Amino acid sequence: MNADIDRWDVENPQFWENTGKRIATRNLWISIPNLLCGFALWMMWGIITVQMLNLGFPFEASELFTLTAIAGLSGATLRIPASFMIRIAGGRNTVFLTTALLLIPAFGAGFALQNPDTPLWVFQLLALVSGIGGGNFAASMSNISTFYPKSQQGLALGMNAGLGNFGVTTMQILIPAVMTVALFAWLGAGESMTLIRDSGTLIGRIEAGSETYIQNAGFIWVVILIPMVIAAWFGMNNLRTITPQINSTFTAFLQILGLYGIGLFTAAVGLYLYLPAPTGLGILNPWLAVLLITGGTLFLMRIMPGRIGENSKRQFAIFKNQHTWSMTILYILTFGSFIGFSMALPLSITVIFGSSAVEVNGVIERVSNPNAPSALTWAWIGPFVGALIRPVGGWISDKWGGSIVTQWIAIVMVFASAAVGYVMMLAYQSETPEQYFLTFIVLFILIFAATGIGNGSTFRTIGVVFNQEQKGPVLGWTSAVAGFGAFIAPMVIGDQIRGGTPEYAMYGFAVFYALCLGLNWWFYLRKNAKIKNP
């Protein structure tokens, strides 16, 4: 099979039915599981850190929150260069290599988790590299957008993103399950460890004193990734109409590595300036770190010699379009919330409901809660619902219009976020926080459902607002900025929990969602909007 396709005209109905539809479908169904693996490797630290606490790894909860934040920041940063990869290196080349790179954090986590004395910096480095999985989303969405006509953008992108997002749920169900059995003992992959706190799986609680194999959380993805990489190499295509200047596969690989090298460098520098001693200098707040990293990444891409710099300059034209910025903010509303809460929820459940507020000699102290729900049993439900409903959001938006759907989900998110903040306050101040857990998890499921529908609706709007040349880079850029939610949400929620006021984080998110409501109306729904997109 020829990996490169020279003629591609999907807006021509005859070409689409006779040729394009079959090729596009094959590329989509190979893209989805590769993207799923990317999400899983990126998000796995949210579950791994919970089990590290349960096993008594010698780290504070705040230090483990940094692992989820590092992975989140790295993945979001890597989306910036990844959004330009398809037009520089080709779809098949990009998906193959970026998925293959995930074997590094998969192997690394498996080996590092075998020893509780592994230094924190090793886990932080692995979390940084696992951000490759987050970066892959931008390249994947940019790639699939080039295979489908405008009339089917919402559904196609919703399928790729929605089913790819199942990597979060797949990881949250699979990792707790595989940690219960000695799957890789025959390879000499470490001994079991003994739980000092209760853990759990999808089917229920695992009592303290049980044996577990936390290293399987990394090794299981090696087994899954290998066939995905093979399928990408033999089944996907580069579109020459999108990437006309591919000189060779080897050159394309070097360009991909160069782009990801830029992102990893700027993320590492930003994290060093942000993280407190002894890991970093602690001289930046998270918002300044994000601005510095984003600006540094764009600057280095622009001054790169050769085709990377040339293509970057040409595609930077998207930043002159005001709709690039409005859609970026609206995608933070949807995907930023989805990925941020997916990353923060497991550890938040463990910290908020895992201890009770008890008065001792007139002083409120936090003690272990024997009736605490297990994050490993419950945390998967919200991301599952959000991912499952995402293609539905794309379909509804194709039918009714992306912006009107976005407007309704923003309203839901404003009220649900404020409500969950209030419930978090009650739980954190209670001697029996578990009584509030059902309300808490139902409200979060509602938020995840809204983000899933909104993910589809914002992609539909982008497909309508931008032309074929700008659509891919805009999809990548908006997903990159929204991906910073995976860094901001754990940090904001973690900081507020340490301050004893977790509800403030959710109240702040509710205010942001209200601002997005007004922005969406102003740009796309009001009477004199430049682009009316109901």
Side-chain angles (χ1 to χ4, degrees):
M1 183 191 72
N2 184 7
D4 294 352
I5 296 177
D6 294 318
R7 179 176 177 247
W8 193 252
D9 184 15
V10 291
E11 299 299 339
N12 180 326
Q14 184 176 2
F15 176 86
W16 171 250
E17 289 298 329
N18 294 340
T19 304
K21 186 176 182 179
R22 171 178 51 83
I23 295 172
T25 301
R26 185 182 68 245
N27 278 267
L28 174 63
W29 286 106
I30 295 174
S31 173
I32 288 171
N34 277 272
L35 183 56
L36 183 149
C37 288
F39 268 103
L41 268 293
W42 184 31
M43 294 281 104
M44 69 180 180
W45 296 101
I47 293 296
I48 290 174
T49 51
V50 170
Q51 196 73 329
M52 291 170 75
L53 275 177
N54 294 336
L55 287 167
F57 274 62
F59 308 120
E60 299 293 330
S62 59
E63 292 176 317
L64 295 178
F65 263 114
T66 67
L67 296 183
T68 61
I70 288 170
L73 182 65
S74 173
T77 304
L78 293 177
R79 288 184 175 200
I80 298 173
S83 64
F84 300 94
M85 284 180 180
I86 301 304
R87 294 183 180 275
I88 293 173
R92 176 241 199 178
N93 296 337
T94 299
V95 175
F96 166 79
L97 183 59
T98 56
T99 304
L101 289 172
L102 294 173
L103 290 166
I104 298 172
F107 266 121
F111 283 112
L113 288 167
Q114 294 180 61
N115 185 0
D117 295 325
T118 300
L120 180 63
W121 69 264
V122 174
F123 292 112
Q124 291 174 328
L125 181 61
L126 289 169
L128 180 75
V129 178
S130 70
I132 290 171
N136 290 359
F137 178 82
S140 179
M141 295 301 289
S142 179
N143 184 45
I144 291 302
S145 73
T146 64
F147 278 92
Y148 282 84
K150 279 191 174 183
S151 62
Q152 299 187 39
Q153 288 284 315
L155 181 59
L157 293 172
M159 289 284 288
N160 191 55
L163 298 181
N165 281 356
F166 268 116
V168 180
T169 301
T170 302
M171 173 275 299
Q172 290 176 332
I173 295 174
L174 182 60
I175 287 180
V178 299
M179 287 191 296
T180 63
V181 292
L183 280 179
F184 303 103
W186 58 282
L187 290 175
E191 301 294 329
S192 64
M193 299 181 195
T194 304
L195 291 167
I196 64 171
R197 296 171 55 174
D198 291 348
S199 182
T201 65
L202 174 65
I203 59 176
R205 183 185 300 270
I206 298 175
E207 301 294 333
S210 302
E211 298 300 304
T212 193
Y213 299 84
I214 190 173
Q215 64 269 28
N216 291 357
F219 288 137
I220 189 62
W221 300 109
V222 177
V223 177
I224 297 172
L225 281 168
I226 291 174
M228 295 300 100
V229 170
I230 294 172
W233 181 255
F234 289 103
M236 298 191 77
N237 300 100
N238 301 312
L239 299 181
R240 286 286 185 172
T241 55
I242 303 299
T243 319
Q245 297 179 323
I246 300 177
N247 295 322
S248 69
T249 301
F250 179 73
T251 301
F253 285 173
L254 289 179
Q255 291 167 330
I256 293 167
L257 292 173
L259 284 166
Y260 264 169
I262 290 172
L264 287 171
F265 172 75
T266 55
V269 171
L271 283 164
Y272 179 69
L273 296 174
Y274 162 71
L275 291 173
T279 304
L281 297 179
I283 60 176
L284 291 182
N285 66 38
W287 309 100
L288 286 177
V290 167
L291 288 174
L292 177 66
I293 291 168
T294 303
T297 303
L298 291 172
F299 173 74
L300 291 178
M301 288 175 59
R302 192 176 182 103
I303 65 172
M304 281 284 285
R307 288 189 57 232
I308 292 179
E310 292 172 6
N311 277 271
S312 297
K313 290 175 184 177
R314 180 165 56 86
Q315 294 183 56
F316 278 8
I318 63 173
F319 299 126
K320 298 178 182 178
N321 189 331
Q322 63 179 342
H323 295 287
T324 298
W325 301 105
S326 61
M327 291 311 305
T328 297
I329 294 171
L330 293 176
Y331 199 53
I332 294 172
L333 162 76
T334 58
F335 181 77
S337 299
F338 173 87
I339 207 66
F341 292 144
S342 295
M343 187 71 89
L345 186 58
L347 208 51
S348 297
I349 291 174
T350 301
V351 175
I352 293 174
F353 295 93
S355 57
S356 306
V358 177
E359 184 175 338
V360 179
N361 297 325
V363 178
I364 299 297
E365 295 184 2
R366 300 201 64 80
V367 299
S368 179
N369 178 17
N371 300 313
S374 171
L376 301 186
T377 302
W378 292 97
W380 64 275
I381 300 176
F384 173 81
V385 172
L388 182 68
I389 207 169
R390 189 167 186 169
V392 177
W395 178 79
I396 294 173
S397 300
D398 282 339
K399 186 175 180 64
W400 299 104
S403 296
I404 192 66
V405 175
T406 301
Q407 195 77 351
W408 280 107
I409 69 100
I411 293 171
V412 171
M413 292 178 69
V414 168
F415 289 101
S417 298
V420 81
Y422 180 69
V423 172
M424 289 170 74
M425 178 189 68
L426 296 177
Y428 199 71
Q429 297 175 356
S430 174
E431 291 187 11
T432 56
E434 66 274 7
Q435 67 178 305
Y436 301 104
F437 182 72
L438 179 60
T439 305
F440 169 88
I441 201 69
V442 168
L443 286 170
F444 253 116
I445 290 171
L446 178 61
I447 292 172
F448 274 108
T451 66
I453 294 173
N455 283 334
S457 67
T458 47
F459 275 142
R460 169 60 178 164
T461 302
I462 290 172
V464 170
V465 170
F466 296 94
N467 61 33
Q468 184 73 5
E469 181 178 359
Q470 290 192 331
K471 181 171 53 183
V474 170
L475 284 169
W477 166 256
T478 55
S479 71
V481 177
F484 282 113
F487 168 65
I488 295 296
M491 285 293 95
V492 170
I493 294 174
D495 287 344
Q496 293 303 320
I497 287 175
R498 284 192 292 275
T501 54
E503 68 275 12
Y504 287 178
M506 299 307 300
Y507 294 159
F509 293 138
V511 171
F512 170 71
Y513 299 152
L515 294 174
C516 291
L517 190 68
L519 180 74
N520 184 64
W521 172 82
W522 178 262
F523 274 95
Y524 306 111
L525 292 177
R526 67 186 175 95
K527 183 177 180 180
N528 297 319
K530 275 191 176 182
I531 298 179
K532 192 81 170 177
N533 178 43

